[in-house]
Amino acid sequence: MPEHTGRRVPPALRYSAAIAGCLLLVAGGLYVVGVVAAYLAPVLVPVAIALLLAALLAPAVHVLLRRRVPRLAAVALVLLGGLAVLGGLLTFVITALVQGLPALREEIIRGVDAVVRWLSTGPLHLDEARVRGSFDRLLSTVTGTGGDMTTGALNTAMTAGEVLGQAVLVLFVLVFLLTGGPGIWAFLLRPVPASLRDHVDVAGRRALSALVSYTRATIAVAAVDAVAIGIGIAVLGVPLAVPLAAVVFLCAFIPVFGAFMAGGLAVLVAFVANGPVTGLVLLGIVIAVEQVEGHVLQPLFLGRAVRLHPLAVVLSIAVGWVVAGIAGALLAVPLLAVLNAGVRSLLSTASRPAGFTGGTCAPPPPRSPAPSSSVG
């Protein structure tokens, strides 16, 4: 083989090979991370849920601490009150959904039959067997997987004992995040080089601030969507108003897809039960609510720190669904918001250490050997 053969390789080919090698390394690393995350999902999902709850409850703990309530007492009060409110809300939503699920399923089947008849006998003249087969597969996926929409996420690969164990793990991690957040954050910062520690500290604080904003905004938006669309359903006389509002509330936690699925389901029920005019009116209400959500509520509650591109949201939900199912789809956007805020902070040349109290950034206290945390 002659010497200096590498010099005969065109520069464009060498650059392309280098870029392809880097992309393969990155793809391999992401694949390994995805495999490990899927394998450890029974642990990572409860920890992620605990982080979401800690981000939601930490401001209330800070308020009690400013009123000179001892930390342990403040955490206990917030946990008891927060879990009571959250448990009552979820109990109401799930109970309403379970009670109305049989009738809701019948309305969905009737609606699908009406759509199939229109597609086969209407102006499109599609093949009825193929259309019905497609809708049957869709129905089996939506309503037949696991037999119950409300418990399908829990029946994927978990027994009742595993669910109880994961709930205990969520509570255990949540207690330690609220009581020992500063120590945990200091421990995580300890391996970081001293020259980068301040920037990483700022990035962590801003990431958790974004998580607080996202959690608050998601709950507020879900409540507003459920109430507004539920009132519209009740005023129009569409049956199953409470179960449909419960579906809207639960689906609102999945951006983009959730609102589309819940709104389409409500319109389908209205179309079948009350006719096309009522269905079109409810469709207008759903579109108006979604426009208010996208242009008023989300910018008002989220702000720039958590603003994400719609394409990034859709792709993150798709990846989360593939890796961890429903839980992955629910947690994908909060994780993306945290990473977005943290990376933006690290890339910012004007980053300054910022304290965090109750979801806002404020001037930090004097420097101390152990940096404080935004959680707890």
Side-chain angles (χ1 to χ4, degrees), residues 164-214:
L164 180 61
Q166 292 192 3
V168 172
L169 180 59
V170 169
L171 184 60
F172 187 79
V173 175
L174 178 60
V175 169
F176 276 93
L177 287 176
L178 293 177
T179 57
I184 295 173
W185 184 236
F187 175 79
L188 294 176
L189 284 177
R190 199 172 298 165
V192 180
S195 59
L196 301 176
R197 194 167 296 162
D198 287 343
H199 292 286
V200 175
D201 187 18
V202 174
R205 296 171 188 272
R206 292 179 177 173
L208 287 172
S209 177
L211 183 60
V212 172
S213 300
Y214 177 84

Short mmCIF file of all heavy atoms in Angstrom, two decimals, residues 164-214:
data_model
loop_
_atom_site.label_atom_id
_atom_site.label_comp_id
_atom_site.label_asym_id
_atom_site.label_seq_id
_atom_site.Cartn_x
_atom_site.Cartn_y
_atom_site.Cartn_z
N LEU A 164 -47.82 -0.45 45.13
CA LEU A 164 -47.70 0.03 46.50
C LEU A 164 -46.26 0.36 46.84
O LEU A 164 -45.97 1.38 47.48
CB LEU A 164 -48.25 -1.03 47.46
CG LEU A 164 -48.19 -0.69 48.95
CD1 LEU A 164 -49.01 0.56 49.24
CD2 LEU A 164 -48.67 -1.87 49.79
N GLY A 165 -45.33 -0.49 46.39
CA GLY A 165 -43.92 -0.21 46.65
C GLY A 165 -43.44 1.06 46.00
O GLY A 165 -42.68 1.84 46.59
N GLN A 166 -43.90 1.32 44.78
CA GLN A 166 -43.50 2.55 44.10
C GLN A 166 -44.14 3.77 44.76
O GLN A 166 -43.51 4.84 44.83
CB GLN A 166 -43.88 2.48 42.62
CG GLN A 166 -43.08 1.45 41.86
CD GLN A 166 -43.24 1.57 40.36
OE1 GLN A 166 -43.93 2.47 39.87
NE2 GLN A 166 -42.62 0.67 39.62
N ALA A 167 -45.37 3.63 45.26
CA ALA A 167 -45.99 4.75 45.98
C ALA A 167 -45.21 5.06 47.26
O ALA A 167 -45.00 6.24 47.60
CB ALA A 167 -47.44 4.41 46.31
N VAL A 168 -44.78 4.03 47.97
CA VAL A 168 -43.96 4.25 49.17
C VAL A 168 -42.63 4.90 48.80
O VAL A 168 -42.14 5.80 49.50
CB VAL A 168 -43.73 2.91 49.91
CG1 VAL A 168 -42.73 3.08 51.04
CG2 VAL A 168 -45.05 2.37 50.44
N LEU A 169 -42.04 4.49 47.68
CA LEU A 169 -40.79 5.09 47.24
C LEU A 169 -40.98 6.57 46.90
O LEU A 169 -40.12 7.40 47.23
CB LEU A 169 -40.25 4.33 46.02
CG LEU A 169 -38.94 4.84 45.42
CD1 LEU A 169 -37.82 4.80 46.47
CD2 LEU A 169 -38.55 4.03 44.19
N VAL A 170 -42.09 6.91 46.24
CA VAL A 170 -42.38 8.31 45.94
C VAL A 170 -42.45 9.13 47.23
O VAL A 170 -41.84 10.20 47.34
CB VAL A 170 -43.69 8.43 45.14
CG1 VAL A 170 -44.14 9.89 45.05
CG2 VAL A 170 -43.52 7.87 43.74
N LEU A 171 -43.20 8.62 48.21
CA LEU A 171 -43.35 9.35 49.47
C LEU A 171 -42.01 9.46 50.20
O LEU A 171 -41.68 10.51 50.76
CB LEU A 171 -44.38 8.64 50.35
CG LEU A 171 -44.73 9.32 51.67
CD1 LEU A 171 -45.31 10.71 51.43
CD2 LEU A 171 -45.72 8.47 52.47
N PHE A 172 -41.22 8.39 50.19
CA PHE A 172 -39.92 8.38 50.87
C PHE A 172 -38.98 9.42 50.25
O PHE A 172 -38.37 10.24 50.96
CB PHE A 172 -39.32 6.98 50.76
CG PHE A 172 -38.07 6.78 51.55
CD1 PHE A 172 -38.12 6.54 52.92
CD2 PHE A 172 -36.83 6.81 50.93
CE1 PHE A 172 -36.97 6.36 53.65
CE2 PHE A 172 -35.67 6.62 51.64
CZ PHE A 172 -35.73 6.39 53.02
N VAL A 173 -38.88 9.41 48.91
CA VAL A 173 -38.01 10.37 48.24
C VAL A 173 -38.52 11.78 48.43
O VAL A 173 -37.73 12.73 48.64
CB VAL A 173 -37.91 10.01 46.74
CG1 VAL A 173 -37.11 11.07 45.99
CG2 VAL A 173 -37.26 8.65 46.56
N LEU A 174 -39.83 11.97 48.40
CA LEU A 174 -40.40 13.30 48.56
C LEU A 174 -40.08 13.89 49.93
O LEU A 174 -39.72 15.07 50.05
CB LEU A 174 -41.91 13.23 48.36
CG LEU A 174 -42.71 14.52 48.55
CD1 LEU A 174 -42.24 15.59 47.58
CD2 LEU A 174 -44.20 14.27 48.38
N VAL A 175 -40.19 13.08 50.98
CA VAL A 175 -39.87 13.56 52.33
C VAL A 175 -38.42 14.01 52.41
O VAL A 175 -38.11 15.08 52.96
CB VAL A 175 -40.17 12.46 53.36
CG1 VAL A 175 -39.60 12.84 54.73
CG2 VAL A 175 -41.67 12.22 53.47
N PHE A 176 -37.51 13.24 51.85
CA PHE A 176 -36.10 13.61 51.94
C PHE A 176 -35.78 14.81 51.05
O PHE A 176 -34.89 15.61 51.39
CB PHE A 176 -35.22 12.42 51.56
CG PHE A 176 -34.97 11.48 52.69
CD1 PHE A 176 -35.79 10.39 52.89
CD2 PHE A 176 -33.94 11.70 53.58
CE1 PHE A 176 -35.59 9.53 53.94
CE2 PHE A 176 -33.72 10.85 54.64
CZ PHE A 176 -34.54 9.75 54.83
N LEU A 177 -36.46 14.96 49.92
CA LEU A 177 -36.23 16.15 49.10
C LEU A 177 -36.68 17.42 49.81
O LEU A 177 -36.03 18.47 49.69
CB LEU A 177 -36.96 16.01 47.77
CG LEU A 177 -36.37 15.02 46.76
CD1 LEU A 177 -37.27 14.92 45.53
CD2 LEU A 177 -34.97 15.42 46.35
N LEU A 178 -37.79 17.35 50.53
CA LEU A 178 -38.31 18.53 51.21
C LEU A 178 -37.54 18.84 52.49
O LEU A 178 -37.42 20.00 52.88
CB LEU A 178 -39.80 18.35 51.52
CG LEU A 178 -40.73 18.30 50.31
CD1 LEU A 178 -42.15 18.04 50.74
CD2 LEU A 178 -40.65 19.60 49.51
N THR A 179 -37.05 17.81 53.17
CA THR A 179 -36.34 18.05 54.44
C THR A 179 -34.85 18.24 54.26
O THR A 179 -34.24 19.03 54.97
CB THR A 179 -36.59 16.88 55.40
OG1 THR A 179 -36.17 15.65 54.79
CG2 THR A 179 -38.05 16.79 55.78
N GLY A 180 -34.26 17.52 53.31
CA GLY A 180 -32.81 17.58 53.16
C GLY A 180 -32.35 18.06 51.81
O GLY A 180 -31.27 17.66 51.35
N GLY A 181 -33.15 18.88 51.16
CA GLY A 181 -32.79 19.37 49.84
C GLY A 181 -31.45 20.06 49.77
O GLY A 181 -30.64 19.76 48.88
N PRO A 182 -31.13 20.99 50.69
CA PRO A 182 -29.82 21.66 50.63
C PRO A 182 -28.65 20.69 50.71
O PRO A 182 -27.68 20.83 49.96
CB PRO A 182 -29.86 22.60 51.84
CG PRO A 182 -31.31 22.85 52.07
CD PRO A 182 -32.00 21.58 51.72
N GLY A 183 -28.74 19.72 51.61
CA GLY A 183 -27.64 18.75 51.72
C GLY A 183 -27.51 17.89 50.48
O GLY A 183 -26.38 17.59 50.05
N ILE A 184 -28.63 17.49 49.88
CA ILE A 184 -28.58 16.67 48.67
C ILE A 184 -27.97 17.45 47.52
O ILE A 184 -27.12 16.95 46.78
CB ILE A 184 -30.00 16.18 48.31
CG1 ILE A 184 -30.53 15.25 49.40
CG2 ILE A 184 -30.01 15.49 46.95
CD1 ILE A 184 -31.98 14.85 49.21
N TRP A 185 -28.37 18.71 47.38
CA TRP A 185 -27.82 19.53 46.30
C TRP A 185 -26.33 19.79 46.51
O TRP A 185 -25.56 19.77 45.55
CB TRP A 185 -28.59 20.83 46.22
CG TRP A 185 -28.19 21.73 45.08
CD1 TRP A 185 -27.77 23.00 45.17
CD2 TRP A 185 -28.20 21.40 43.70
NE1 TRP A 185 -27.51 23.51 43.92
CE2 TRP A 185 -27.76 22.53 42.99
CE3 TRP A 185 -28.53 20.25 42.98
CZ2 TRP A 185 -27.63 22.55 41.62
CZ3 TRP A 185 -28.40 20.26 41.60
CH2 TRP A 185 -27.96 21.41 40.94
N ALA A 186 -25.92 20.02 47.74
CA ALA A 186 -24.49 20.22 48.02
C ALA A 186 -23.69 18.96 47.70
O ALA A 186 -22.58 19.03 47.16
CB ALA A 186 -24.30 20.62 49.48
N PHE A 187 -24.25 17.80 48.02
CA PHE A 187 -23.56 16.55 47.72
C PHE A 187 -23.42 16.35 46.21
O PHE A 187 -22.37 15.89 45.74
CB PHE A 187 -24.33 15.39 48.35
CG PHE A 187 -23.79 14.04 47.99
CD1 PHE A 187 -22.66 13.55 48.64
CD2 PHE A 187 -24.40 13.26 47.01
CE1 PHE A 187 -22.15 12.30 48.30
CE2 PHE A 187 -23.90 12.02 46.68
CZ PHE A 187 -22.76 11.54 47.33
N LEU A 188 -24.45 16.69 45.45
CA LEU A 188 -24.38 16.54 44.00
C LEU A 188 -23.40 17.52 43.38
O LEU A 188 -22.80 17.23 42.33
CB LEU A 188 -25.77 16.73 43.38
CG LEU A 188 -26.82 15.66 43.74
CD1 LEU A 188 -28.17 16.03 43.14
CD2 LEU A 188 -26.38 14.29 43.26
N LEU A 189 -23.23 18.68 43.99
CA LEU A 189 -22.29 19.67 43.45
C LEU A 189 -20.84 19.39 43.82
O LEU A 189 -19.92 19.94 43.21
CB LEU A 189 -22.66 21.08 43.95
CG LEU A 189 -23.86 21.76 43.30
CD1 LEU A 189 -24.12 23.10 43.96
CD2 LEU A 189 -23.65 21.94 41.80
N ARG A 190 -20.61 18.56 44.82
CA ARG A 190 -19.26 18.34 45.31
C ARG A 190 -18.30 17.81 44.25
O ARG A 190 -17.15 18.25 44.18
CB ARG A 190 -19.31 17.38 46.51
CG ARG A 190 -18.08 17.43 47.40
CD ARG A 190 -18.32 16.62 48.66
NE ARG A 190 -19.44 17.17 49.42
CZ ARG A 190 -20.06 16.53 50.39
NH1 ARG A 190 -19.70 15.29 50.70
NH2 ARG A 190 -21.04 17.10 51.05
N PRO A 191 -18.71 16.86 43.37
CA PRO A 191 -17.74 16.38 42.36
C PRO A 191 -17.46 17.38 41.25
O PRO A 191 -16.53 17.17 40.46
CB PRO A 191 -18.42 15.13 41.80
CG PRO A 191 -19.50 14.77 42.76
CD PRO A 191 -19.94 16.07 43.36
N VAL A 192 -18.24 18.45 41.13
CA VAL A 192 -18.06 19.41 40.04
C VAL A 192 -16.81 20.24 40.30
O VAL A 192 -16.56 20.68 41.44
CB VAL A 192 -19.29 20.34 39.93
CG1 VAL A 192 -19.11 21.35 38.81
CG2 VAL A 192 -20.55 19.51 39.70
N PRO A 193 -15.97 20.47 39.29
CA PRO A 193 -14.78 21.31 39.49
C PRO A 193 -15.15 22.68 40.03
O PRO A 193 -16.20 23.25 39.70
CB PRO A 193 -14.18 21.40 38.08
CG PRO A 193 -14.68 20.18 37.37
CD PRO A 193 -16.04 19.91 37.93
N ALA A 194 -14.28 23.23 40.87
CA ALA A 194 -14.57 24.51 41.53
C ALA A 194 -14.80 25.63 40.53
O ALA A 194 -15.62 26.53 40.77
CB ALA A 194 -13.43 24.87 42.47
N SER A 195 -14.09 25.58 39.38
CA SER A 195 -14.25 26.65 38.40
C SER A 195 -15.63 26.64 37.73
O SER A 195 -16.07 27.66 37.21
CB SER A 195 -13.16 26.53 37.33
OG SER A 195 -13.24 25.27 36.68
N LEU A 196 -16.29 25.50 37.75
CA LEU A 196 -17.61 25.38 37.11
C LEU A 196 -18.75 25.28 38.10
O LEU A 196 -19.90 25.25 37.71
CB LEU A 196 -17.64 24.14 36.20
CG LEU A 196 -16.61 24.08 35.07
CD1 LEU A 196 -16.72 22.75 34.35
CD2 LEU A 196 -16.82 25.24 34.10
N ARG A 197 -18.43 25.24 39.40
CA ARG A 197 -19.46 24.95 40.39
C ARG A 197 -20.54 26.02 40.43
O ARG A 197 -21.73 25.72 40.56
CB ARG A 197 -18.81 24.78 41.76
CG ARG A 197 -19.72 24.16 42.80
CD ARG A 197 -18.92 23.75 44.02
NE ARG A 197 -17.96 22.71 43.67
CZ ARG A 197 -16.90 22.40 44.42
NH1 ARG A 197 -16.67 23.09 45.53
NH2 ARG A 197 -16.09 21.44 44.06
N ASP A 198 -20.14 27.29 40.34
CA ASP A 198 -21.13 28.36 40.39
C ASP A 198 -22.10 28.26 39.22
O ASP A 198 -23.31 28.44 39.38
CB ASP A 198 -20.44 29.73 40.38
CG ASP A 198 -19.78 30.04 41.72
OD1 ASP A 198 -20.14 29.36 42.70
OD2 ASP A 198 -18.92 30.93 41.76
N HIS A 199 -21.57 28.01 38.02
CA HIS A 199 -22.43 27.92 36.84
C HIS A 199 -23.37 26.72 36.93
O HIS A 199 -24.55 26.82 36.56
CB HIS A 199 -21.59 27.84 35.57
CG HIS A 199 -20.83 29.10 35.27
ND1 HIS A 199 -21.44 30.23 34.78
CD2 HIS A 199 -19.51 29.40 35.39
CE1 HIS A 199 -20.53 31.18 34.61
NE2 HIS A 199 -19.35 30.70 34.98
N VAL A 200 -22.86 25.60 37.40
CA VAL A 200 -23.72 24.42 37.56
C VAL A 200 -24.78 24.68 38.63
O VAL A 200 -25.93 24.25 38.51
CB VAL A 200 -22.86 23.19 37.91
CG1 VAL A 200 -23.75 21.98 38.20
CG2 VAL A 200 -21.92 22.87 36.75
N ASP A 201 -24.38 25.40 39.70
CA ASP A 201 -25.35 25.74 40.75
C ASP A 201 -26.48 26.59 40.19
O ASP A 201 -27.66 26.34 40.45
CB ASP A 201 -24.61 26.48 41.86
CG ASP A 201 -25.49 26.72 43.08
OD1 ASP A 201 -26.53 26.03 43.21
OD2 ASP A 201 -25.15 27.59 43.90
N VAL A 202 -26.12 27.58 39.39
CA VAL A 202 -27.13 28.44 38.77
C VAL A 202 -28.03 27.62 37.83
O VAL A 202 -29.26 27.76 37.84
CB VAL A 202 -26.46 29.59 38.00
CG1 VAL A 202 -27.50 30.39 37.22
CG2 VAL A 202 -25.72 30.50 38.95
N ALA A 203 -27.41 26.75 37.03
CA ALA A 203 -28.19 25.95 36.09
C ALA A 203 -29.17 25.04 36.83
O ALA A 203 -30.34 24.89 36.42
CB ALA A 203 -27.26 25.11 35.22
N GLY A 204 -28.73 24.44 37.93
CA GLY A 204 -29.63 23.59 38.71
C GLY A 204 -30.78 24.36 39.30
O GLY A 204 -31.94 23.90 39.30
N ARG A 205 -30.50 25.56 39.83
CA ARG A 205 -31.56 26.37 40.42
C ARG A 205 -32.58 26.78 39.36
O ARG A 205 -33.80 26.73 39.59
CB ARG A 205 -30.96 27.61 41.07
CG ARG A 205 -30.05 27.33 42.25
CD ARG A 205 -29.35 28.63 42.66
NE ARG A 205 -28.32 28.36 43.67
CZ ARG A 205 -28.56 28.33 44.98
NH1 ARG A 205 -29.77 28.53 45.43
NH2 ARG A 205 -27.57 28.10 45.83
N ARG A 206 -32.09 27.21 38.21
CA ARG A 206 -33.02 27.65 37.17
C ARG A 206 -33.79 26.47 36.59
O ARG A 206 -34.96 26.62 36.20
CB ARG A 206 -32.24 28.38 36.07
CG ARG A 206 -31.69 29.71 36.56
CD ARG A 206 -30.92 30.43 35.49
NE ARG A 206 -30.46 31.73 35.98
CZ ARG A 206 -29.64 32.54 35.32
NH1 ARG A 206 -29.21 32.18 34.12
NH2 ARG A 206 -29.28 33.68 35.83
N ALA A 207 -33.16 25.29 36.51
CA ALA A 207 -33.87 24.11 36.03
C ALA A 207 -35.02 23.74 36.97
O ALA A 207 -36.13 23.45 36.54
CB ALA A 207 -32.90 22.94 35.89
N LEU A 208 -34.76 23.79 38.27
CA LEU A 208 -35.81 23.46 39.23
C LEU A 208 -36.88 24.56 39.28
O LEU A 208 -38.05 24.30 39.52
CB LEU A 208 -35.21 23.23 40.61
CG LEU A 208 -34.46 21.91 40.73
CD1 LEU A 208 -33.72 21.83 42.06
CD2 LEU A 208 -35.40 20.73 40.60
N SER A 209 -36.46 25.80 39.05
CA SER A 209 -37.45 26.87 38.95
C SER A 209 -38.36 26.64 37.74
O SER A 209 -39.57 26.85 37.81
CB SER A 209 -36.74 28.22 38.82
OG SER A 209 -37.65 29.26 38.64
N ALA A 210 -37.78 26.17 36.63
CA ALA A 210 -38.60 25.84 35.46
C ALA A 210 -39.55 24.69 35.77
O ALA A 210 -40.70 24.67 35.31
CB ALA A 210 -37.69 25.49 34.29
N LEU A 211 -39.08 23.71 36.55
CA LEU A 211 -39.94 22.59 36.92
C LEU A 211 -41.12 23.06 37.76
O LEU A 211 -42.25 22.59 37.60
CB LEU A 211 -39.12 21.54 37.66
CG LEU A 211 -39.86 20.26 38.05
CD1 LEU A 211 -40.38 19.55 36.81
CD2 LEU A 211 -38.95 19.35 38.86
N VAL A 212 -40.86 23.97 38.71
CA VAL A 212 -41.95 24.53 39.51
C VAL A 212 -42.96 25.24 38.62
O VAL A 212 -44.18 25.04 38.74
CB VAL A 212 -41.39 25.50 40.57
CG1 VAL A 212 -42.52 26.25 41.27
CG2 VAL A 212 -40.56 24.74 41.60
N SER A 213 -42.47 26.08 37.71
CA SER A 213 -43.37 26.81 36.82
C SER A 213 -44.18 25.86 35.95
O SER A 213 -45.38 26.04 35.75
CB SER A 213 -42.58 27.79 35.95
OG SER A 213 -41.88 28.72 36.74
N TYR A 214 -43.51 24.84 35.42
CA TYR A 214 -44.21 23.90 34.55
C TYR A 214 -45.29 23.14 35.32
O TYR A 214 -46.40 22.95 34.82
CB TYR A 214 -43.22 22.91 33.94
CG TYR A 214 -43.90 21.86 33.09
CD1 TYR A 214 -44.22 22.11 31.77
CD2 TYR A 214 -44.25 20.63 33.64
CE1 TYR A 214 -44.88 21.17 31.00
CE2 TYR A 214 -44.90 19.67 32.87
CZ TYR A 214 -45.20 19.95 31.56
OH TYR A 214 -45.87 19.02 30.81
#
